[in-house]
Amino acid sequence: MPMNNRPAFASADGSALEIRALSHSDLSRVLEIERQGYSHPWSEAVFLDCFKDNYRLWALCKEDSLIGYAVVAYLVDEAHLLNLCVHPESRGCGAGRSLLEHLVGKAGDDGMVQVLLEVRVTNRAAEQLYISAGFEEIGLRPGYYPAAHGREDARVMTLPLGSK
């Protein structure tokens, strides 16, 4: 582990990646990535509301530049992945997978028994990432996400982490 005690690893393209806790000072960059990553991005107020004890917010950095983030809510013994986004220019090199593996590992360390998430039915890349990480679809939430023309369904997926 590097001297600053943050986990470091290499992406598929060989770049050094690092994961650390997300801070309030990261929000302007997070909002920039959020707007590029989603048709209906979260507002600053939504992100600010996530800085609570039962949330885990992770920053993914490449050469000290924030390139992705994840927001996870802990509810009893379940980790609910609410948002995982990687800057469009950093996709396809394993950055999202590294962030997902990190948050799943931390959830297990924190005694969570499963990770739950929703993913747009049209987001095939994210769905494939989750499936390749061991997530399984357990249901559908009709009209869960806002869309350009109405609402879009979400697949509900889960990854069991084992018993406490």
Side-chain angles (χ1 to χ4, degrees):
M1 206 176 273
M3 303 258 315
N4 58 11
N5 293 324
R6 296 182 201 155
F9 46 93
S11 66
D13 67 2
S15 302
L17 298 175
E18 183 174 70
I19 297 175
R20 61 169 172 76
L22 193 72
S23 70
H24 285 88
S25 64
D26 294 317
L27 278 183
S28 63
R29 179 68 174 153
V30 165
L31 291 169
E32 178 185 328
I33 295 169
E34 179 80 0
R35 285 189 294 270
Q36 292 181 51
Y38 296 118
S39 61
H40 294 78
W42 283 10
S43 68
E44 182 175 9
V46 171
F47 280 104
L48 286 170
D49 195 46
C50 295
F51 283 91
K52 296 178 180 173
D53 288 344
N54 64 318
Y55 282 73
R56 302 299 180 268
L57 291 83
W58 301 109
L60 175 65
C61 299
K62 179 178 178 179
E63 299 169 2
D64 292 325
S65 177
L66 193 142
I67 62 164
Y69 53 87
V71 177
V72 183
Y74 282 14
L75 307 166
V76 188
D77 60 358
E78 179 179 280
H80 190 166
L81 176 55
L82 301 173
N83 194 336
L84 188 152
C85 190
V86 173
H87 190 283
E89 293 177 4
S90 296
R91 293 180 185 162
C93 69
R97 177 173 307 283
S98 297
L99 191 53
L100 181 62
E101 289 172 357
H102 177 82
L103 72 88
V104 166
K106 289 294 186 179
D109 292 347
D110 291 340
M112 301 293 110
V113 299
Q114 73 172 343
V115 177
L116 179 83
L117 61 86
E118 291 86 13
V119 62
R120 286 180 185 271
V121 294
T122 58
N123 191 344
R124 302 298 294 163
E127 181 185 358
Q128 289 306 308
L129 169 64
Y130 299 136
I131 289 169
S132 71
F135 284 80
E136 293 183 358
E137 183 175 338
I138 60 168
L140 198 67
R141 295 196 200 279
Y144 185 76
Y145 287 109
H149 302 288
R151 310 283 301 173
E152 182 176 352
D153 296 347
R155 295 184 199 291
V156 182
M157 303 182 84
T158 188
L159 176 68
L161 300 177
S163 59
K164 291 184 191 177

